[in-house]
Amino acid sequence: MTSAERRRRFEPEDRIWVAVGLFTALTLALAVPLVVLLLWSFADRWAAPNLLPQAYSGDTWRAVLRDSTLLAAAVNSTMIALAVTLLTALVAMPTAWAMAKLPLRCRRAVEIFVLAPVIVPGVVVATGVGQVFLMLGIAYTVTGVVLVQMVGTLPLMVRLLAASFEVLPDELLHAARSLGAGPLQVAWHVVLPLSVPGLLAGALLSFVGSFEEFDKTFIVGAPVVQTLPVLLYHHLDPYSLQFPLAAAVALILLLPVLVVFVLSGRILRDDVMAAGMGKV
């Protein structure tokens, strides 16, 4: 009996067990940590081996919401994430177009070069880039933080846009040129509207990646540039660890990310997101 014959066929009634397994894994991976964070943010006293806090209090949230540094860090994180998303899209578009449409002899080498920042650990990238920024005088500035975060968001944006550009019919581009449209007109009226799925998918992931970025921001920008992940790190200092305060800041850090993904799920259909990922 061959291995193909020994392999059990997937039956329709097996779907319920697959769904149960997926929902169980999702609950353990996402719901349980979120519940623990929520409990810690309201815990006034929680000691082992108790599974639930012995006392609850809203003092932590009142202290967090009165903290002026939290509001400043949230504004910094949002503005930096928006700037990183916009600049990443502008820089990634010509690179993605070249990878998708131009006959590059060293295409594989270019792809490896573009994806290299994802392969190399963020601490290594930030340390090297930070030395360069120190010499250029843009370390510990918002400009430096934006640029160093783009090192991590560019590879994904380039890959998504390249996948979108690859499926664009060349006939449409040739037809637009034959009707008298210039290169900029073709890009604005043909290429850009058809690549919206990939652009939106890349923008969402770039915003989330920038908003949650810690390593590069901490090495290049801290302590001058404070973002929510950097502020969360300060609350997780092992010498003055405050679990309730850190849990509250972590929930605030998660809120914009959850809002972005909920909105994307309502605005973008599954086939649109799949097109952005180069699946269709």
Side-chain angles (χ1 to χ4, degrees), residues 212-233:
E212 294 186 334
E213 175 59 47
F214 169 73
D215 295 341
K216 303 180 184 70
T217 304
F218 183 78
I219 293 176
V220 174
V224 178
V225 180
Q226 287 279 351
T227 61
L228 284 177
V230 175
L231 187 63
L232 175 62
Y233 173 78

Side-chain angles (χ1 to χ4, degrees), residues 70-80:
L70 176 66
L71 179 59
V75 172
N76 284 341
S77 294
T78 304
M79 299 305 295
I80 289 173

Side-chain angles (χ1 to χ4, degrees), residues 183-220:
L184 292 180
Q185 291 176 313
V186 173
W188 182 258
H189 294 288
V190 180
V191 176
L192 191 59
L194 293 177
S195 60
V196 165
L199 186 60
L200 287 179
L204 290 173
L205 295 178
S206 296
F207 181 88
V208 172
S210 171
F211 198 87
E212 294 186 334
E213 175 59 47
F214 169 73
D215 295 341
K216 303 180 184 70
T217 304
F218 183 78
I219 293 176
V220 174

Side-chain angles (χ1 to χ4, degrees), residues 6-280:
R6 289 196 302 268
R7 188 182 302 122
R8 183 177 180 274
R9 294 184 59 185
F10 184 81
E11 302 295 341
E13 56 269 19
D14 295 333
R15 295 176 181 175
I16 182 64
W17 298 110
V18 174
V20 169
L22 290 176
F23 278 111
T24 302
L26 188 63
T27 300
L28 293 176
L30 296 178
V32 172
L34 286 176
V35 171
V36 172
L37 281 177
L38 187 62
L39 290 175
W40 262 118
S41 67
F42 286 101
D44 187 49
R45 187 173 68 258
W46 193 359
N50 297 286
L51 296 179
L52 294 174
Q54 290 91 350
Y56 297 89
S57 172
D59 294 341
T60 300
W61 281 103
R62 284 191 287 269
V64 167
L65 296 178
R66 286 197 300 262
D67 188 358
S68 60
T69 60
L70 176 66
L71 179 59
V75 172
N76 284 341
S77 294
T78 304
M79 299 305 295
I80 289 173
L82 290 174
V84 168
T85 302
L86 178 61
L87 293 176
T88 299
L90 293 176
V91 175
M93 281 185 179
T95 306
W97 181 261
M99 292 177 58
K101 294 297 185 181
L102 299 184
L104 300 177
R105 298 181 59 183
C106 52
R107 177 187 176 89
R108 182 58 59 184
V110 173
E111 290 180 351
I112 295 175
F113 177 78
V114 170
L115 295 176
V118 180
I119 302 172
V120 180
V123 175
V124 177
V125 174
T127 303
V129 174
Q131 292 293 329
V132 177
F133 284 2
L134 278 174
M135 294 185 292
L136 296 177
I138 57 175
Y140 310 113
T141 65
V142 174
T143 302
V145 171
V146 169
L147 292 177
V148 76
Q149 287 191 5
M150 287 177 61
V151 175
T153 57
L154 268 173
L156 185 59
M157 180 72 85
V158 170
R159 180 65 189 90
L160 292 173
L161 287 178
S164 295
F165 292 156
E166 285 176 353
V167 299
L168 292 181
D170 292 334
E171 293 79 6
L172 289 178
L173 307 180
H174 297 324
R177 293 303 302 272
S178 65
L179 293 175
L184 292 180
Q185 291 176 313
V186 173
W188 182 258
H189 294 288
V190 180
V191 176
L192 191 59
L194 293 177
S195 60
V196 165
L199 186 60
L200 287 179
L204 290 173
L205 295 178
S206 296
F207 181 88
V208 172
S210 171
F211 198 87
E212 294 186 334
E213 175 59 47
F214 169 73
D215 295 341
K216 303 180 184 70
T217 304
F218 183 78
I219 293 176
V220 174
V224 178
V225 180
Q226 287 279 351
T227 61
L228 284 177
V230 175
L231 187 63
L232 175 62
Y233 173 78
H234 292 323
H235 291 314
L236 291 175
D237 184 355
Y239 298 103
S240 59
L241 184 59
Q242 304 178 57
F243 274 124
L245 197 57
V249 176
L251 287 173
I252 294 174
L253 179 62
L254 285 175
L255 182 60
V257 177
L258 294 177
V259 170
V260 167
F261 276 107
V262 169
L263 290 178
S264 66
R266 296 182 65 87
I267 296 173
L268 300 178
R269 304 187 310 273
D270 291 340
D271 58 335
V272 175
M273 286 298 291
M277 296 294 182
K279 300 297 183 183
V280 296

